[in-house]
Amino acid sequence: MKEVALVLKTAGKIAVVQIEKSPACSACKVCAFAGGKSRVKVRALNTAGAAAGDRVVVEAEKDNRTLASFLVYILPVLLGVAGVIVGAQCFEQELYAALFCLAGLAVGFLAVWAADKLLSRRRGFGIEVVEVLDTQKTDQKEEQNGQGD
């Protein structure tokens, strides 16, 4: 999904952009407009070289939503099942199978938490600045040219 956003600040290849909620946002849920907010600030990979104050087009990567869903929902369950199998095979008692299941779930949720922290530091599950619509410099030049006429 592509949306128009305003660049608030940049730091290297990362830009903090503000996205206005549009009707299409309710179906996407990548940006997670929480609590009925009409604007959200997100970090985005700044591949277009935008500067603070620029209006830009940002694109959310839908391909990574499948990976995110897998990490959040499936990984803890798989580790819980693995814990049941290990507990049952090694100790042959239901108590140990249940304890290893809980341990597997805990490890799964810790892995999800660690993956979230790691990916949010890098780039996250993906908003990218793909195009600069206009810049402050362009606006200022147009104003000066308009005044000189």
Side-chain angles (χ1 to χ4, degrees):
M1 171 166 283
K2 291 185 179 183
E3 289 293 329
V4 176
L6 175 67
V7 178
L8 300 177
K9 63 181 178 178
T10 61
K13 293 197 178 250
I14 302 295
V16 176
V17 297
Q18 180 174 287
I19 302 172
E20 298 284 331
K21 187 174 183 177
S22 70
C25 291
S26 60
C28 176
K29 299 197 186 341
V30 170
C31 298
F33 284 97
K37 292 183 180 180
S38 62
R39 296 178 186 160
V40 67
K41 294 177 186 175
V42 294
R43 292 174 39 168
L45 182 63
N46 189 7
T47 56
D54 292 349
R55 282 186 341 117
V56 296
V57 175
V58 294
E59 185 174 24
E61 298 176 10
K62 290 185 178 183
D63 297 340
N64 285 333
R65 287 196 295 172
T66 304
L67 175 60
S69 296
F70 174 80
L71 284 174
V72 170
Y73 298 112
I74 305 300
L75 184 64
V77 171
L78 288 176
L79 290 175
V81 169
V84 167
I85 293 169
V86 168
Q89 292 295 321
C90 292
F91 299 102
E92 297 181 2
Q93 291 182 2
E94 291 177 10
L95 174 65
Y96 288 109
L99 290 175
F100 273 77
C101 176
L102 292 175
L105 285 171
V107 169
F109 286 122
L110 284 173
V112 168
W113 177 79
D116 177 55
K117 292 299 179 189
L118 176 69
L119 290 171
S120 68
R121 273 192 216 128
R122 288 185 180 177
R123 191 171 129 201
F125 278 113
I127 305 272
E128 181 177 352
V129 177
V130 294
E131 179 184 354
V132 178
L133 296 176
D134 59 18
T135 64
Q136 287 179 334
K137 294 175 188 173
T138 304
D139 292 342
Q140 290 171 355
K141 286 180 185 176
E142 288 176 1
E143 287 176 14
Q144 291 172 354
N145 290 338
Q147 292 174 355
D149 291 337

